[in-house]
Every structure is written in structure tokens, then in C-alpha cells.
Amino acid sequence: MKKAPFIVFDGMDGSGKGTQVKLLIDRALHAHRQFVDTREPGGSPLGEKIRDLFSSPEGAIASARTQFFMMWAARSDWFERVVLPNLEKGVPVISDRCDSSTMAYQVYAKEAPELEDEFWRIRSMIFGKHPPTLYLFIDLPAKEAKRRVDADTSRSKSLFDKKPLEWYERVRKGFQSLREDLPNHVIMIDGDRSPEAIHEEVYKIVSEHCGWK
Ligand code: ADP
């Protein structure tokens, strides 16, 4: 039997990921497609609690290693309660962020390469036979992502949110490294275009992957 689609959207802050997830979900709902729309970290009650801890001042200054395990703990609960039960019923799961963000933020941006082997080991333990089937990374120059974040007045910018350009560059490198590690499962989407143009490409890819034809 064909595996149910498990699709992850990811990208740097400011990449337009949130905008694209919303456009996709609205259109798929309008077309009466069956799927589960979720997010990570969070997406399950315990996962959301860990997300809140992560966003607290203590969570924000925690080491890469501590954050890494917090993320995997949240992901484990979410996977058991939300993702797997749906995939087993054949229902596609679409998630805003997933383990790709752990690679980009904890391993690359926070410069903890010693966690990379652990990443693959824990990933296969938690996802087992059901890792994400498709990652869509919204990619654009780090400078443009930072410009958008800095210009976005709706975003609460605490001290922890203010990141230098090099941070964005390291995050981008993390996503690029995952594309090299999972070449058959990652598609890079050029995010330096109008939201509508990006959405058309995204919708086409997702429709094909989910068999929505
Ligand atoms: P993310 O979820 O990746 O952080 P958002 O979707 O919140 O990104 O978008 C970040 C900012 O950039 C917002 O102000 C949004 O309106 C703007 N934005 C989103 N997509 C585009 C785009 N394709 N071109 C220009 N600006 C965009």
C-alpha cells in the first residue's frame, strides 16, 4: 500500500513559510480535500506546552543540546498522537515545521555539529517507517529574510528574536544540508517571488504528491 503523504513546510523566519502554509490550507479546504493541518513544535497538547517552555526566557537561552532534546520530546508526543494515527488511516498530514527546523536551528544556527549524528539516530527511532515523505523548503537570500522580519511590525521582537544576518545564513545552510542528505524528499522553492507565484508552484507539487487530481 502506498504511504500516506507526510508533508513538511520549512524555511528561515521571514521566508514566507507561514504565508504559503495558509494559502495552501485555504485552497485545499475550499476544494474539500481531506488532510490534517498541524504545526511543530506543538500540534498536540503536550507539544504545545513544550512550545511555550521553548518560547519562555529560560527556553530561549537554553543550550543547543537542551533545546534539541526539548524539540524531540515535543515531536515524539506529536508524532504518536497526531501524525501516526492519521497516516495509518491514509490521511495526509501537512505540518508547519518539523525535524528540519531542529537541524537548521539547533545543529546549524546554534553551531552544535556534535548533535548531527544524534539527529539521524533519534529521527529514525521516532519516525520509524514513517518519516516525512516530502519537505518543501522556502528558500531565499538570508538578507531578504532578515529584511522581511525586521519590517514586519506584527511580529513581537524580543531581544531573543533579534538575530544577526549570520544567524539567518547558518539557518539556510542547515536546510541546504538536509537537501543534500535527503535528495529524494526535499524540494527547494524559490521564495524570492510574489506570494501568488510561489503558491501556484507549491499547490501543484502538493496536489501531485497527495494525488489530488
Ligand atoms: P515566515 O512564516 O517564514 O516567518 P511570513 O509568512 O510570516 O514568514 O512572512 C514574513 C513577512 O514577509 C511578512 O510580513 C509577509 O507579509 C512577508 N512576505 C511573505 N511572503 C512574501 C513574498 N513572497 N514576498 C514579499 N514579502 C513576503
Side-chain angles (χ1 to χ4, degrees):
M1 205 180 94
K2 194 178 170 289
K3 276 189 187 173
F6 177 8
I7 302 173
V8 171
F9 273 83
D10 221 326
M12 288 174 278
D13 289 309
S15 63
K17 174 180 62 62
T19 304
Q20 289 307 319
V21 170
K22 186 169 186 322
L23 288 170
L24 169 69
I25 299 304
D26 288 352
R27 184 155 161 196
L29 283 177
H30 194 74
H32 303 290
R33 300 299 182 190
Q34 196 194 11
F35 62 95
V36 168
D37 162 27
T38 183
R39 73 168 182 177
E40 233 253 72
S44 68
L46 179 60
E48 289 292 334
K49 285 194 177 174
I50 297 175
R51 185 186 182 103
D52 289 344
L53 282 176
F54 186 79
S55 310
S56 70
E58 295 83 356
I61 60 161
S63 69
R65 186 176 64 183
T66 302
Q67 289 187 350
F68 178 90
F69 287 110
M70 284 171 76
M71 290 299 152
W72 279 113
R75 188 165 302 129
S76 173
D77 185 68
W78 166 81
F79 183 76
E80 289 166 357
R81 290 171 193 280
V82 178
V83 179
L84 193 55
N86 280 292
L87 295 181
E88 284 177 343
K89 284 186 282 184
V91 177
V93 173
I94 299 176
S95 180
D96 184 343
R97 295 200 189 278
C98 194
D99 60 328
S100 34
S101 283
T102 304
M103 181 64 95
Y105 288 87
Q106 276 70 48
V107 181
Y108 272 77
K110 286 180 80 91
E111 300 183 289
E114 70 279 8
L115 294 174
E116 198 158 344
D117 286 349
E118 282 305 302
F119 175 93
W120 293 107
R121 202 176 61 77
I122 298 174
R123 181 181 193 266
S124 69
M125 181 174 78
I126 288 180
F127 293 150
K129 293 195 180 79
H130 295 279
T133 53
L134 178 66
Y135 292 88
L136 295 178
F137 295 157
I138 313 290
D139 184 57
L140 75 176
K143 211 170 157 186
E144 172 61 11
K146 179 172 167 24
R147 189 198 64 72
R148 289 184 192 174
V149 170
D150 292 347
D152 187 353
T153 49
S154 69
R155 232 172 251 254
S156 64
K157 284 188 219 62
S158 70
L159 256 186
F160 307 112
D161 291 332
K162 275 268 174 202
K163 301 289 188 198
L165 183 61
E166 301 81 67
W167 170 271
Y168 286 81
E169 280 164 352
R170 292 199 297 272
V171 172
R172 190 180 190 201
K173 271 207 182 120
F175 290 122
Q176 287 168 342
S177 85
L178 263 183
R179 179 184 52 174
E180 281 160 29
D181 288 325
L182 300 169
N184 298 326
H185 298 276
V186 173
I187 297 180
M188 288 282 189
I189 307 278
D190 174 7
D192 208 358
R193 295 177 287 165
S194 73
E196 296 73 26
I198 302 167
H199 170 65
E200 284 310 318
E201 183 182 357
V202 163
Y203 199 77
K204 188 166 178 285
I205 293 169
V206 171
S207 297
E208 271 169 23
H209 193 72
C210 292
W212 292 344
K213 283 272 157 164

